[in-house]
Amino acid sequence: MAGLNVYSALVVFFLTCGASMATKENNHIIKDNNCETKMGLPCVLEAFTSIFEIGTISSKCCGELVWLGKFCHSALVKRTLENPLFKDLSPARIIAKSIQTWNNCLALIDSPSPST
């Protein structure tokens, strides 16, 4: 549980301070598309954990991620990778997990519900 609190604090930190550390291109994409306001914090945490740690993302949060859009999703992941706190992570591994999370959510949202 303490790990989740640390990651919660990191996500909030990135949402509030990350813009100063990002490239101009990612900042413009994120600002112009209102990327930081399209997902609720609980879903941001789930997505963050599924990409940067080991975790799963719920169907509800997959819906929010897909609604966020691939353009915003990619820009936010890239901006997070630019933060010095993540310098020891493998960008290729994180990008791969980001794509996997996106594709899994897209498939989940596009597939019909089992009850229909």
Side-chain angles (χ1 to χ4, degrees):
M1 188 55 89
L4 182 58
N5 290 335
V6 170
Y7 293 114
S8 300
L10 285 174
V11 170
V12 170
F13 172 76
F14 295 129
L15 292 177
T16 58
C17 302
S20 65
M21 296 178 249
T23 64
K24 288 181 182 181
E25 179 182 354
N26 282 333
N27 276 340
H28 286 295
I29 290 168
I30 292 165
K31 183 178 178 184
D32 293 348
N33 294 287
N34 296 315
C35 297
E36 292 178 320
T37 63
K38 291 182 177 180
M39 285 180 76
L41 185 58
C43 288
V44 168
L45 293 173
E46 277 189 34
F48 180 88
T49 302
S50 74
I51 296 167
F52 288 88
E53 290 296 318
I54 297 173
T56 59
I57 185 167
S58 66
S59 177
K60 175 189 179 294
C61 291
C62 273
E64 287 192 29
L65 182 66
V66 170
W67 187 75
L68 171 73
K70 189 168 186 163
F71 203 57
C72 282
H73 171 67
S74 294
L76 289 165
V77 169
K78 287 176 187 175
R79 184 175 79 180
T80 303
L81 281 170
E82 292 167 353
N83 189 301
L85 290 174
F86 293 98
K87 68 180 182 331
D88 294 332
L89 296 180
S90 164
R93 183 175 158 269
I94 297 301
I95 296 294
K97 285 181 76 175
S98 168
I99 292 168
Q100 179 184 22
T101 298
W102 174 263
N103 289 339
N104 289 348
C105 283
L106 196 59
L108 180 67
I109 298 307
D110 285 345
S111 66
S113 161
S115 62
T116 57

